[in-house]
C-alpha cells in the first residue's frame, strides 16, 4: 500500500508544486480533447477521440493542484492514485505514470476511455466545488496508458514462481481479465473459458470500435498471455464443461465473470416484427461478426430511419452505429429527459454533434408493420416528469391521450439486460438473488460455495467496466488468501 | 481442434460430417445443437448434433446446403478444421416411451429429426416416420430413417416417389389407421404449422423443433425469439423444441423471411466467386 501523505511530501513533488502557484494552476482552462470532425466521423468507424498530445497532457496535468486530501480518489471506485500518476505526467515521466495506474487498474487504456468520469473521479475533483471544469483525469489516464502501449515498452508484470495451482475463470470480460491477471502474477496456473469465439466480453462485442478500438483490448489480452494465462474460446461452462468437470480436472478455484448477457424487451405490441431487435443483437452483428463489411457472411439491416429505445451507453452506441451504417434519420427515444439519461455525458454530446435526434419524454407503446411483417411505424406515448422514484430520478408519467406516430424501418431495443442465467441455473447450491444475480460476500466476492468467487455484471446486474475490474481484483486477492489458508 | 475425420454424401446437397469435439461428444443429448462458424468472417449457424461417439471423441453433423454458410461448410473435406464449434446448446429432447409416435419431417428438418427418431426408438416407442419433399430427388436420409423407425412413409408433392401428397396427408393417414400418442415435427415453418393444425384437430400432443434465425445461440441476442402461448421465448435456450399447438407459426414465418433478400444477394455473390474459381 502507498502512503499517500508521505509520497506527497517527497522532494520532487514538493518542488513541482512550488514551481507554479495554485491560483495560476486554477486559472488555466481545461484542455479540449482533440476529436475527429463530427460530419466526417459519422461516416467512418475510426475512434472519435484522438487523444491528447504529450504537450497537451503536460499542460492539463499542471492544472491538478496535488491536493493534500485528493477527493478525486474517493470518486474512483478502485481509488486509483490520481495525483500520483498526474504529477508523473507533469514531469514528463509518462511510463512511470502508466506504472502507477497499473498498480490499481488492469485496463487503464480502457477505463480512461469508457469510465463515466463525470460521475466518478472528476465529479469529486476539487475544481468542481469552485465551479470550474474538473481536471481531465480520464483523458490523462488514457494518455499515459496509450503512451506506454505505443512506446512498445509495456512492462509485462513480474510473475511469481509457478505454484501449480489450477484456477478457472468463466468469461473473458473486464472482470475475468483483471482477475486472471492478478492470479497469474501470484503464480497460479490460470485458464479463462469463454463462450464466444472472441475474447473480451462486452469490450469486444458491445462497445464499438469508434469508442474503444479492438486492438487496445487485444494488447491487454496478449499481455495476459505473456504472463502465462491460457484462453479457451468456444467453451461454455455449464454446457461444454460443468463446474464439477472443472473440479475433477483439478481446478481449485473458479471465478465467475459471466456478465449480464440477457436482453430485456418491453412486451409491447409488434415487438417481434422484422426489423425490431435488441441492441445486443445489433451490436453483436456489427462488432463481433463484422456484419457491415462486405467479406462477412453475417447479414445486418442497414436501416434508413432507425429508432433506438433507451438512454444508456448501449443505446448511444447503437444509435451512433446506425448513423455510421448510413441511416438518414437516427433517433434516441427516451422516456425521461436528458438530465436523467444514464449514458456518459460525452457520448450524449458526441451523438448530438453527429446528428442524432433526441426524442425525450417519449415511450413506445406499439410497433406497426407491413404485410411482410417488417416494421414501418412506431407509436410513441408522450410523457412528462412526475415525482422522484426509488432511484431518485423523477419518474416519467403519461400525458393522457398524447401520442405520436413516426415512420421507422429499424428499431433497436436498448432497455437493459439481465444477468446471464447459465451459471446460476447449472450450479446447484449457488445462492441467487431474485434478480438472478449471484450472491457473494461483498468484502471477499466469495459465494456460498467456497471455491466459487464471482464479480462484475453477474453480481451487480449491470454496472461499469471499472467496477467489474475492481471486483475481479478483489476476488483474486481473497481467493489467494482463501487458498493459502 | 475441430478436425473433420470423415465426410460422406447422403445426396448431392446433404452431407454427413464426423468432427472431433470430445467435450461436446461427452456432454450432448438428443435434441442438442451446436453453433458452427467457417472462416474468420463466417456466420454462426446452428446445426443439430445427429450423433456422437464418446470413445472416438467425435460428433456427427448432417448439413443440408441452403445458402452461403451451409455451402461453405459443405465444401470442407476430411482433415480440414471447422474454425469455430461450440455446444452443446439448447434443451435436450424429452424422450420417454409415449407409445406410438409419428415423426413428420421435410426439407431442412430431416437432418435434425434423425437423432430424435433414433432416441425415440431406443426408448421403446413405435416410431412411424413421415418423410416429405417436393419431388423424388429431394428425399434424403431414407435409409438412415428406415434403420431407426418401425415404418417410413415417403410423401412427394408431385407423386414422383412414394405417395403423392403433402406431409399432412401422410400423417393423417396414420392417424386414421391407428392410435397415435405423440407427434414430432421438424421442417420448414409452413410445414410445421400445418402439421400442428392437423394434430390439434385430433388432440394429439405435438412437439415442433423450431429452426429460427440465430446469432450467438446462447441466449444473448434475442434474434431467435418466438411467441409460444403468447409469451416471447428464445429458441436457443428455451427450445428448440416447444409444444407446437402453442407456437405462433405465422409470426415465426414472418421473422424467418427477415434476411431473405440480403441472403439471396450474398448467395449470388458467393456462387459467382465459386464459379469463377473453376
Ligand atoms: C454496448 C455497451 C456499452 C457500454 N458502455 C460502457 C461504458 O462506456 N463505460 C462503462 O464503464 N461500462 C459500459 N458498459 C458496461 C460494461 O461493459 C459492463 O459493465 C462490463 O463489461 C461488465 O464486465 P463483466 O466482466 O462482468 O462481463 P462481460 O463484459 O459481459 O463479459 C462476460 C463474458 O462471459 C462470457 N460468458 C458468459 N457465460 C459464460 C459461460 N457460462 N461460460 C463461458 N463464458 C461465459 C460472455 O460471453 C462474455 O464474453 C457498456 C455495456 C454495453 C453492452
Ligand atoms: C436448432 C436448429 C438446428 C438445426 N439443425 C440443422 C441440421 O442439423 N442440419 C441442417 O442442415 N440444418 C439445420 N438447421 C438449419 C440451419 O441452421 C440453416 O439451414 C442454416 O443456418 C442456413 O444458413 P445458410 O447461410 O446456408 O443459408 P441462408 O442464406 O441463411 O438461407 C438460405 C435460404 O434458406 C432459408 N432458410 C435458412 N434457414 C432456414 C430455416 N432454419 N428454416 C427454413 N428455411 C431456412 C432462407 O430463408 C433462405 O431462403 C438448424 C436450425 C436450427 C435453429
Ligand atoms: S478508473 Fe475511471 S473512475 Fe477511476 S480514475 Fe480512472 S477514469 Fe476515473
Ligand atoms: S481533486 Fe482534482 S486537483 Fe485535487 S488531486 Fe484530484 S485531480 Fe488533482
Ligand atoms: S440466438 Fe441469440 S438469443 Fe438465441
Amino acid at each position: 500500500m502507498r502512503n499517500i501523505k508521505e509520497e506527497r511530501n517527497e522532494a520532487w513533488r514538493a518542488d513541482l508544486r512550488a514551481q507554479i502557484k495554485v491560483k495560476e494552476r486554477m486559472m488555466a482552462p481545461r484542455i479540449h480533447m482533440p476529436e475527429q470532425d463530427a460530419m466526417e466521423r459519422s461516416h467512418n468507424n475510426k475512434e472519435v477521440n484522438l487523444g491528447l498530445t504529450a504537450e497537451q497532457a503536460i499542460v492539463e496535468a499542471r492544472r491538478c493542484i496535488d491536493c493534500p486530501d485528493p477527493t478525486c480518489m474517493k470518486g474512483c471506485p478502485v481509488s486509483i492514485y490520481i495525483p500520483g500518476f498526474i504529477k508523473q505526467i507533469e514531469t514528463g515521466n509518462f511510463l512511470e505514470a502508466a506504472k502507477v495506474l497499473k498498480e490499481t487498474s488492469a485496463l487503464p487504456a480502457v477505463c480512461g476511455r469508457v469510465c463515466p468520469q463525470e460521475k466518478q473521479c472528476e465529479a469529486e475533483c476539487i475544481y468542481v466545488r469552485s465551479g470550474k471544469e474538473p481536471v481531465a483525469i480520464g483523458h490523462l489516464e488514457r494518455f499515459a496508458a496509450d503512451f506506454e502501449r505505443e512506446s512498445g515498452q509495456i512492462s509485462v508484470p513480474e510473475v511469481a514462481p509457478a505454484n501449480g495451482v489450477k484456477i478457472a475463470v468463466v468469461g473473458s470480460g473486464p472482470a475475468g481479465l483483471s482477475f486472471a491477471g492478478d492470479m497469474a502474477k501470484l503464480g497460479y496456473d490460470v485458464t479463462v473459458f469463454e463462450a464466444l469465439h472472441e475474447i473480451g466480453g462486452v469490450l469486444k462485442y458491445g462497445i464499438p470500435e469508434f469508442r474503444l478500438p479492438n486492438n487496445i483490448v487485444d494488447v491487454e489480452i496478449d499481455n495476459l498471455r505473456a504472463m502465462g494465462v491460457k484462453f479457451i474460446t468456444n467453451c461454455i461452462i455449464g454446457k461444454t464443461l460443468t463446474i464439477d468437470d472443472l473440479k475433477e480436472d483439478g481446478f481449485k478455484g473458479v471465478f465467475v465473470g459471466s456478465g449480464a448477457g440477457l436482453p430485456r424487451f418491453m412486451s409491447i405490441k409488434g415487438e417481434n416484427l422484422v426489423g425490431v431487435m435488441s441492441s445486443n443483437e445489433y451490436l453483436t452483428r456489427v462488432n463481433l461478426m463484422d456484419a457491415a463489411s462486405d467479406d462477412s457472411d453475417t447479414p445486418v439491416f442497414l436501416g434508413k430511419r432507425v429508432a433506438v429505445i433507451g438512454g444508456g451507453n448501449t443505446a448511444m452506441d447503437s444509435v451512433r452505429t446506425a448513423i455510421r451504417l448510413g441511416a438518414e434519420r437516427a433517433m434516441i427515444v427516451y422516456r425521461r429527459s436528458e438530465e436523467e439519461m444514464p449514458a456518459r455525458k460525452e457520448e450524449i454530446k458526441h451523438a448530438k454533434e453527429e446528428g442524432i435526434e433526441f426524442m425525450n419524454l417519449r415511450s413506445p407503446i406499439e410497433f406497426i408493420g407491413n404485410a411482410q411483417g417488417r416494421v414501418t411505424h412506431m407509436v410513441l406515448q408522450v410523457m412528462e416528469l412526475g415525482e422522484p422514484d426509488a432511484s431518485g430520478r423523477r419518474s416519467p408519467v403519461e400525458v393522457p391521450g398524447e401520442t405520436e406516430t413516426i415512420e421507422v424501418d429499424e428499431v433497436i431495443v436498448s432497455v437493459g439486460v439481465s444477468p446471464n442465467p447459465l451459471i446460476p441455473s447449472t450450479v446447484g447450491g449457488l445462492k441467487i438473488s431474485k434478480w438472478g444475480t449471484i450472491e457473494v460476500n461483498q468484502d471477499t466476492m466469495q459465494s456460498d460455495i467456497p471455491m466459487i468467487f464471482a464479480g462484475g455484471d453477474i453480481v451487480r446486474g449491470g454496472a461499469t467496466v471499472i467496477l467489474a475490474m475492481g471486483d475481479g481484483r478483489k476476488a483474486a486477492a481473497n481467493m489467494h488468501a482463501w487458498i493459502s489458508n | 481442434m475441430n478436425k473433420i475425420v470423415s465426410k460422406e454424401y447422403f445426396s448431392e446437397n446433404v452431407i454427413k460430417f464426423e468432427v472431433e469435439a470430445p467435450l461436446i461428444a461427452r456432454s450432448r443429448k438428443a435434441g442438442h445443437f451446436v453453433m458452427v462458424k467457417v472462416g474468420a468472417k463466417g456466420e454462426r449457424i446452428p446445426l443439430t448434433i445427429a450423433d456422437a461417439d464418446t470413445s472416438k471423441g467425435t460428433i456427427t453433423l448432417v448439413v443440408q446446403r441452403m445458402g452461403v454458410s451451409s455451402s461453405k461448410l459443405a465444401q470442407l473435406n476430411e482433415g480440414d478444421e471447422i474454425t469455430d464449434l461450440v455446444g452443446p446448446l439448447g434443451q435436450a429432447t424429452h424422450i420417454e416411451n409415449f407409445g406410438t409416435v409419428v415423426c413428420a419431417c421435410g426439407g431442412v428438418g430431416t437432418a435434425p429429426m434423425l437423432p430424435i427418431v433414433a432416441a425415440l426408438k431406443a426408448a421403446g416407442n413405435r416410431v412411424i416416420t413421415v418423410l416429405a419433399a417436393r419431388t423424388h430427388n429431394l428425399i434424403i436420409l431414407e435409409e438412415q430413417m428406415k434403420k431407426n423407425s418401425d415404418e417410413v412413409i415417403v410423401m412427394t408433392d408431385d407423386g414422383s416417389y412414394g405417395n403423392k401428397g403433402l406431409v399432412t396427408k401422410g400423417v393423417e393417414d396414420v392417424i386414421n389407421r391407428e392410435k397415435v400418442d405423440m407427434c414430432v415435427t421438424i421442417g420448414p415453418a409452413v410445414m410445421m404449422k400445418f402439421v400442428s393444425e392437423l394434430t390439434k384437430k385430433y388432440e394429439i400432443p405435438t412437439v415442433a423443433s423450431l429452426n429460427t434465425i440465430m446469432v450467438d445461440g446462447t441466449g444473448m441476442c434475442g434474434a431467435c425469439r418466438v411467441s409460444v402461448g403468447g409469451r416471447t421465448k428464445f429458441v436457443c435456450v428455451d427450445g428448440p423444441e416447444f409444444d407446437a399447438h402453442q407456437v405462433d407459426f405465422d409470426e415465426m414465418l414472418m421473422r424467418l423471411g427477415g434476411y431473405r433478400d440480403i441472403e439471396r444477394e450474398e448467395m449470388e455473390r458467393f456462387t459467382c466467386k465459386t464459379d469463377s474459381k473453376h
Side-chain angles (χ1 to χ4, degrees):
Chain A
M1 274 304 267
R2 286 180 174 270
N3 187 326
I4 288 175
K5 289 250 148 37
E6 250 167 50
E7 280 194 41
R8 186 170 178 276
N9 291 333
E10 280 173 17
W12 73 273
R13 286 275 283 275
D15 284 350
L16 200 60
R17 277 197 300 277
Q19 278 174 22
I20 308 170
K21 286 201 191 77
V22 167
K23 216 168 150 195
E24 210 174 303
R25 288 183 190 268
M26 291 194 73
M27 291 219 320
R30 175 171 158 133
I31 294 281
H32 183 70
M33 170 64 95
E35 48 195 42
Q36 266 197 81
D37 173 73
M39 281 308 112
E40 211 163 289
R41 73 184 188 232
S42 60
H43 298 287
N44 69 43
N45 206 23
K46 285 189 274 201
E47 203 176 357
V48 170
N49 282 341
L50 301 172
L52 302 179
T53 63
E55 293 75 44
Q56 286 173 319
I58 292 174
V59 171
E60 181 62 24
R62 277 192 203 125
R63 290 180 72 223
C64 167
I65 59 173
D66 198 3
C67 301
D69 176 21
T71 44
C72 53
M73 288 177 67
K74 296 195 184 82
C76 171
V78 298
S79 303
I80 288 211
Y81 183 28
I82 295 170
F85 94 83
I86 294 186
K87 291 300 111 177
Q88 293 289 3
I89 294 181
E90 187 177 342
T91 57
N93 281 329
F94 306 142
L95 290 175
E96 208 47 50
K99 231 187 228 166
V100 175
L101 285 168
K102 282 164 87 176
E103 279 168 19
T104 331
S105 167
L107 306 163
V110 176
C111 296
R113 284 173 167 81
V114 306
C115 265
Q117 289 98 7
E118 77 276 3
K119 284 186 210 139
Q120 300 183 349
C121 51
E122 294 181 16
E124 301 298 328
C125 173
I126 194 90
Y127 275 65
V128 175
R129 252 172 282 169
S130 35
K132 292 192 162 71
E133 276 199 279
V135 174
I137 302 169
H139 293 166
L140 289 172
E141 182 166 326
R142 166 186 164 149
F143 168 79
D146 284 359
F147 182 88
E148 188 200 34
R149 188 182 64 254
E150 284 157 15
S151 72
Q153 301 182 58
I154 293 194
S155 49
V156 174
E158 251 175 73
V159 171
N163 64 16
V165 180
K166 281 167 72 177
I167 301 296
V169 181
V170 183
S172 64
L177 292 180
S178 63
F179 173 88
D182 276 13
M183 291 305 268
K185 273 188 231 168
L186 293 165
Y188 289 91
D189 177 2
V190 184
T191 308
V192 180
F193 297 91
E194 169 55 51
L196 294 172
H197 59 269
E198 274 272 2
I199 298 164
V202 170
L203 305 182
K204 279 280 181 64
Y205 78 71
I207 306 180
E209 192 72 9
F210 59 81
R211 210 148 69 77
L212 177 63
N214 279 344
N215 73 315
I216 286 169
V217 184
D218 285 334
V219 168
E220 301 297 341
I221 293 164
D222 288 344
N223 225 6
L224 290 174
R225 280 209 177 92
M227 289 162 65
V229 175
K230 283 168 267 185
F231 289 95
I232 299 186
T233 51
N234 294 317
C235 185
I236 306 177
I237 303 302
K239 288 274 180 187
T240 320
L241 285 171
T242 61
I243 296 224
D244 284 337
D245 291 332
L246 294 177
K247 242 191 274 182
E248 228 165 85
D249 287 349
F251 285 93
K252 295 287 178 250
V254 179
F255 175 75
V256 180
S258 53
L262 195 69
R264 278 194 219 126
F265 287 94
M266 297 171 290
S267 304
I268 63 175
K269 203 164 159 220
E271 208 170 17
N272 288 347
L273 285 167
V274 176
V276 182
M277 70 194 81
S278 74
S279 51
N280 269 9
E281 177 178 349
Y282 186 64
L283 292 172
T284 300
R285 283 181 187 272
V286 177
N287 296 332
L288 184 72
M289 307 310 296
D290 199 18
S293 87
D294 267 350
D295 57 351
S296 168
D297 295 341
T298 305
V300 63
F301 291 126
L302 302 177
K304 290 293 169 214
R305 287 174 303 277
V306 183
V308 176
I309 318 297
N313 287 318
T314 315
M316 294 304 146
D317 284 346
S318 302
V319 79
R320 295 173 70 201
T321 297
I323 206 148
R324 281 161 174 76
L325 295 184
E328 285 152 14
R329 203 171 170 202
M331 304 163 256
I332 282 282
V333 175
Y334 181 56
R335 62 198 179 114
R336 306 182 200 239
S337 74
E338 188 177 317
E339 217 169 294
E340 289 83 22
M341 276 194 182
R344 294 178 76 225
K345 282 278 167 298
E346 189 181 37
E347 311 312 330
I348 298 172
K349 172 176 161 277
H350 281 161
K352 284 190 172 161
E353 290 166 0
E354 288 162 13
I356 306 297
E357 288 172 55
F358 282 69
M359 313 187 93
N360 294 333
L361 292 167
R362 299 285 182 282
S363 184
I365 47 175
E366 185 183 347
F367 300 112
I368 298 169
N370 62 15
Q372 285 76 47
R374 266 209 81 95
V375 66
T376 58
H377 292 84
M378 61 178 175
V379 183
L380 302 180
Q381 167 71 52
V382 178
M383 315 292 279
E384 63 188 0
L385 288 180
E387 295 300 306
D389 64 7
S391 73
R393 297 181 297 179
R394 292 180 64 193
S395 55
V397 286
E398 291 175 15
V399 179
E402 261 194 68
T403 61
E404 289 167 2
T405 301
I406 291 170
E407 224 179 298
V408 285
D409 59 2
E410 184 166 31
V411 174
I412 296 157
V413 180
S414 190
V415 297
V417 282
S418 304
N420 189 316
L422 248 164
I423 295 292
S425 67
T426 55
V427 184
L430 206 57
K431 205 163 157 199
I432 309 298
S433 77
K434 66 175 176 200
W435 298 280
T437 53
I438 297 180
E439 289 197 3
V440 294
N441 173 327
Q442 294 296 324
D443 297 326
T444 61
M445 311 311 287
Q446 192 169 29
S447 77
D448 267 16
I449 299 174
M451 77 175 300
I452 302 180
F453 288 63
D457 283 0
I458 189 67
V459 166
R460 297 171 179 273
T464 57
V465 172
I466 186 74
L467 285 169
M469 214 198 65
D471 286 354
R473 303 207 63 181
K474 200 199 274 180
N478 287 293
M479 188 186 282
H480 177 54
W482 175 74
I483 289 177
S484 311
N485 257 316
Chain B
M1 274 287 269
N2 313 309
K3 206 212 293 238
I4 295 174
V5 298
S6 77
K7 178 181 186 181
E8 187 187 325
Y9 283 85
F10 282 157
S11 74
E12 191 197 340
N13 287 320
V14 181
I15 297 149
K16 177 177 115 170
F17 288 109
E18 240 182 303
V19 187
E20 263 176 19
L23 297 180
I24 301 174
R26 197 174 67 178
S27 46
R28 76 99 207 186
K29 293 196 178 70
H32 278 149
F33 66 94
V34 289
M35 294 300 287
V36 173
K37 171 172 160 284
V38 178
K41 295 289 179 97
E43 184 181 15
R44 294 167 66 100
I45 59 164
L47 293 174
T48 306
I49 305 169
D51 201 359
D53 185 330
T54 42
S55 60
K56 283 202 299 187
T58 58
I59 59 170
T60 303
L61 303 175
V62 179
V63 60
Q64 180 171 11
R65 221 191 287 252
M66 295 288 300
V68 176
S69 306
S70 47
S71 301
K72 279 195 175 168
L73 179 61
Q75 284 179 346
L76 296 183
N77 289 308
E78 205 175 293
D80 289 343
E81 300 262 342
I82 295 180
T83 320
D84 292 287
L85 179 72
V86 63
L89 298 164
Q91 303 293 328
T93 309
H94 174 67
I95 300 283
E96 62 173 64
N97 192 342
F98 299 102
T100 300
V101 184
V102 172
C103 294
C105 57
V108 276
T110 316
M113 183 65 100
L114 189 58
I116 296 174
V117 165
L120 285 169
K121 182 72 194 141
N125 289 285
R126 172 171 154 75
V127 180
I128 302 164
T129 301
V130 180
L131 208 54
R134 253 191 347 266
T135 182
H136 184 185
N137 63 5
L138 295 177
I139 291 288
I140 55 168
L141 299 176
E142 189 184 352
E143 280 316 303
Q144 289 74 18
M145 289 294 189
K146 273 188 179 153
K147 260 184 246 159
N148 293 291
S149 319
D150 292 274
E151 185 185 348
V152 172
I153 298 171
V154 175
M155 304 294 302
T156 52
D157 295 5
D158 60 1
S160 54
Y161 184 60
N163 306 303
K164 184 173 157 65
L166 299 174
V167 68
T168 37
K169 179 173 182 301
V171 176
E172 195 159 22
D173 286 349
V174 180
I175 296 172
N176 288 333
R177 164 187 99 185
E178 63 184 291
K179 180 173 178 289
V180 175
D181 301 293
M182 173 84 180
C183 175
V184 181
T185 180
I186 314 182
V190 240
M191 183 201 115
M192 293 192 281
K193 175 185 165 177
F194 287 115
V195 170
S196 171
E197 280 174 7
L198 174 79
T199 57
K200 199 171 185 172
K201 200 170 74 189
Y202 290 98
E203 292 177 6
I204 297 168
T206 299
V207 166
S209 179
L210 306 185
N211 37 24
T212 51
I213 291 171
M214 294 189 178
V215 180
D216 60 302
T218 67
M220 186 184 92
C221 75
C224 61
R225 64 195 193 278
V226 287
S227 296
V228 181
R231 298 187 51 195
T232 296
K233 297 275 178 191
F234 288 4
V235 171
C236 67
V237 287
D238 302 318
E241 289 164 22
F242 295 96
D243 175 351
H245 298 159
Q246 301 291 320
V247 173
D248 184 343
F249 283 106
D250 293 331
E251 180 189 278
M252 179 180 158
L253 270 163
M254 176 187 94
R255 289 184 59 77
L256 266 176
Y259 288 92
R260 196 160 284 144
D261 295 344
I262 313 183
E263 272 157 2
R264 197 174 303 127
E265 271 170 40
E266 276 184 359
M267 192 59 191
E268 275 161 18
R269 229 179 313 164
F270 175 74
T271 326
C272 290
K273 254 191 257 164
T274 336
D275 287 351
S276 61
K277 271 193 224 142
H278 294 293

